[in-house]
Amino acid sequence: IACVGGEPRLLALHLKRLLEGCRRLALRPPQTAQLTAEIASLARGNERAVLKLLVTRGPAQARGYAASGEERGTRILLRYPWPNEDERVSQEGVRVRLGELRLGENPALAGLKTLNRLEQVLARFEWSTPAIAESLLFSSGGDLIGGTAANVFLVLGGQLHTPRLDRCGVAGVMREAVTLAARRAHIALAKRPLTSLDLDAAEEIFLTSALIGVRPVRELAGRTLPVGPVTRRLQHELGPLLRNEAQLPLGEGA
Amino acid sequence: IACVGGEPRLLALHLKRLLEGCRRLALRPPQTAQLTAEIASLARGNERAVLKLLVTRGPAQARGYAASGEERGTRILLRYPWPNEDERVSQEGVRVRLGELRLGENPALAGLKTLNRLEQVLARFEWSTPAIAESLLFSSGGDLIGGTAANVFLVLGGQLHTPRLDRCGVAGVMREAVTLAARRAHIALAKRPLTSLDLDAAEEIFLTSALIGVRPVRELAGRTLPVGPVTRRLQHELGPLLRNEAQLPLGEGA
């Protein structure tokens, strides 16, 4: 959870995703009022910071994978400094590579943000040069999924496309915010299966995450890409939200 | 790690798997001599107990999936009481169901015992009656893989078969011990892709794990199965090893 101006950003979307994750994993969700107060308390006074919230099923009463249903959940809320980085990259874009590791497909876990992230860890080990910001990863079936820690959007024929995440991948809150912003800006957005052919054909590519917002890709595996009009338009549209000067209209995050 | 008679059982196979897991996940492995001493110390004086060893990359120096390579690994060694259970089930066999959740396929993680076990947790939630001991799970591609916490062996035409675990699944140490025992007993063993058709055709089925040893399946999804001669022969062959009265011949676990 990015905190800007002492307040959590996109909190409604974070909480929505958390509740959805709890539902699908049969975790008892934390009480929203208490959690919101705790997040507000850790965010307060921090012009820019990162919060990380972990929710677990809690201590088990016995060994093994079964749960009794009587577990009392644990929540852990951590605050980190905002990452140091050159402010220009958010405007000028980043260099991205193609990952080699293929992501396993499981509809039962697709889209969820969980602590089972070994694939991302291994994918992140494929490169170490700081000049490369991210790897784009494909599923075992060959579909484009996203970065190790970001979602990806392509502009094809002036329209916006992002991978459907019903077999693997993490559905980030900024992906959701871009969906809402595209609707407001009357930019058509398709969530659908995408492949490396779509990457080759893309006029613009950008990455999204709760921290980086909308970040243009200026180079993909050696190919130079422009920071184009659709990317700029969405950055502009999301600006007030990212600066925490605007909230999502009530109901849109629900 | 099962402890029997105050000593860890199949320790050489556990350590071999740990080192292989560390290698594939680029974790610095713990020092074997120190680890062996710690395990011996926790096992000592316990007629029957279960040890659980967790090895992690250690505290990170920064957020994110990257590692600096300078992390100092953490190891956690836990001791639990031996699970309470009716001794007869190991002889008479258990009832098993077919799982609905399909396991994602990823060769990069296949065979490894890691803490990324959400699939097994969800698979274990599919049933709660204690009369059912285990679910047999299939991969997203339709291959039989194993139980939520056990490997599976089938007898087909008098020969032993167990799923190849090169796309998903956990390669348990007892699966390895059965491989060695089958070789000693001159029972042919094929590690190969298996499907539900092979399950239907199986003359005998048994489960294996570090704790349960070789456990016959007496009922699979309503179908009754005999505890047959191959299962009994392997139980007999493995008996001294499971009672910790014999060690694996040096080199066989390597």
Side-chain angles (χ1 to χ4, degrees):
Chain A
I1 307 170
C3 297
V4 175
E7 306 261 0
R9 187 168 80 182
L10 299 181
L11 183 60
L13 294 183
H14 282 289
L15 294 179
K16 174 191 165 197
R17 183 176 59 176
L18 175 66
L19 293 181
E20 170 69 2
C22 288
R23 186 187 67 74
R24 287 178 56 193
L25 299 176
L27 287 166
R28 196 170 304 162
Q31 294 194 354
T32 303
Q34 185 180 13
L35 188 57
T36 303
E38 289 166 348
I39 290 169
S41 159
L42 250 74
R44 197 168 298 134
N46 291 274
E47 186 48 38
R48 292 180 102 190
V50 180
L51 299 187
K52 179 168 188 159
L53 171 64
L54 305 175
V55 172
T56 83
R57 202 178 305 280
Q61 290 160 346
R63 292 186 64 251
Y65 297 126
S68 68
E70 301 302 313
E71 291 83 8
R72 295 188 58 194
T74 299
R75 61 186 186 286
I76 302 164
L77 191 58
L78 302 154
R79 186 175 60 213
Y80 298 89
W82 192 268
N84 266 328
E85 103 179 330
D86 189 334
E87 286 287 334
R88 285 173 303 181
V89 297
S90 66
Q91 290 305 310
E92 297 172 10
V94 291
R95 291 174 61 196
V96 169
R97 68 191 286 282
L98 296 176
E100 286 157 34
L101 178 132
R102 297 296 181 106
L103 299 167
E105 302 183 4
N106 192 331
L109 298 175
L112 296 182
K113 184 128 187 183
T114 75
L115 295 174
N116 279 208
R117 293 267 82 86
L118 253 178
E119 290 180 324
Q120 284 71 23
V121 169
L122 291 181
R124 185 60 187 79
F125 285 3
E126 288 180 8
W127 86 100
S128 55
T129 167
I132 302 290
E134 187 51 291
S135 265
L136 288 183
L137 303 177
F138 296 82
S139 69
S140 58
D143 284 335
L144 173 67
I145 302 302
T148 63
N151 289 117
V152 65
F153 288 77
L154 315 184
V155 178
L156 292 159
Q159 295 196 340
L160 206 48
H161 299 255
T162 195
R164 190 183 290 170
L165 299 177
D166 56 352
R167 301 189 61 83
C168 56
V170 175
V173 295
M174 197 59 71
R175 175 176 181 266
E176 183 78 1
V178 167
T179 303
L180 301 173
R183 196 180 301 161
R184 280 197 299 265
H186 303 290
I187 299 170
L189 167 62
K191 290 174 181 163
R192 66 171 182 88
L194 295 166
T195 70
S196 63
L197 296 177
D198 296 303
L199 269 184
D200 293 343
E203 300 135 27
E204 306 173 33
I205 303 177
F206 62 85
L207 304 175
T208 66
S209 84
L211 293 197
I212 66 176
V214 168
R215 181 146 305 180
V217 173
R218 67 175 166 86
E219 186 190 306
L220 173 63
R223 171 185 161 219
T224 301
L225 284 147
V227 183
V230 177
T231 305
R232 286 286 181 241
R233 176 75 198 278
L234 286 164
Q235 283 187 319
H236 178 78
E237 190 76 32
L238 285 163
L241 211 57
L242 295 187
R243 293 188 297 272
N244 244 351
E245 298 164 1
Q247 299 295 311
L248 284 173
L250 210 65
E252 286 212 354
Chain B
I1 307 170
C3 297
V4 176
E7 305 263 1
R9 187 168 78 184
L10 298 181
L11 183 60
L13 295 182
H14 281 291
L15 293 179
K16 175 190 164 196
R17 183 175 59 178
L18 175 67
L19 293 181
E20 170 69 4
C22 287
R23 187 188 65 76
R24 286 176 58 191
L25 299 175
L27 287 165
R28 196 170 306 164
Q31 294 194 354
T32 302
Q34 185 179 15
L35 189 57
T36 302
E38 290 166 349
I39 290 169
S41 159
L42 251 74
R44 197 167 297 134
N46 291 273
E47 186 47 38
R48 291 179 102 190
V50 179
L51 298 188
K52 180 168 185 160
L53 171 64
L54 306 175
V55 172
T56 82
R57 202 176 306 278
Q61 290 161 348
R63 290 185 66 253
Y65 296 125
S68 69
E70 301 302 312
E71 292 81 8
R72 295 188 56 193
T74 300
R75 62 186 184 285
I76 303 164
L77 190 57
L78 303 154
R79 186 177 60 215
Y80 298 90
W82 193 269
N84 265 327
E85 103 179 328
D86 190 334
E87 285 287 334
R88 285 173 303 181
V89 296
S90 67
Q91 289 306 310
E92 297 173 10
V94 291
R95 291 174 59 197
V96 169
R97 67 190 288 281
L98 296 176
E100 287 156 34
L101 178 134
R102 297 296 180 105
L103 299 167
E105 301 183 4
N106 192 332
L109 299 174
L112 295 181
K113 184 127 187 185
T114 75
L115 295 173
N116 278 209
R117 293 266 80 88
L118 253 179
E119 290 181 323
Q120 284 72 21
V121 169
L122 292 181
R124 187 59 187 79
F125 285 2
E126 289 180 7
W127 87 99
S128 56
T129 167
I132 302 289
E134 188 49 293
S135 265
L136 287 183
L137 304 177
F138 296 83
S139 69
S140 58
D143 283 335
L144 173 67
I145 301 302
T148 63
N151 288 117
V152 66
F153 288 78
L154 316 184
V155 178
L156 292 160
Q159 295 198 339
L160 206 49
H161 299 255
T162 195
R164 190 182 290 170
L165 300 176
D166 55 352
R167 301 188 62 82
C168 55
V170 176
V173 295
M174 197 58 71
R175 176 176 180 266
E176 183 78 2
V178 166
T179 303
L180 300 174
R183 196 179 302 161
R184 280 197 297 266
H186 302 291
I187 299 169
L189 166 61
K191 290 176 180 163
R192 65 173 183 88
L194 294 166
T195 69
S196 63
L197 296 177
D198 296 303
L199 269 185
D200 292 343
E203 300 134 28
E204 307 174 34
I205 302 177
F206 62 85
L207 305 175
T208 66
S209 84
L211 294 197
I212 66 176
V214 168
R215 181 147 302 181
V217 174
R218 66 175 166 85
E219 187 191 306
L220 174 62
R223 171 186 161 219
T224 301
L225 284 148
V227 183
V230 177
T231 305
R232 286 287 181 241
R233 175 75 199 277
L234 286 164
Q235 284 187 318
H236 178 77
E237 191 76 32
L238 284 164
L241 211 58
L242 296 188
R243 293 188 298 273
N244 243 351
E245 298 163 0
Q247 299 294 311
L248 284 174
L250 209 65
E252 287 214 352

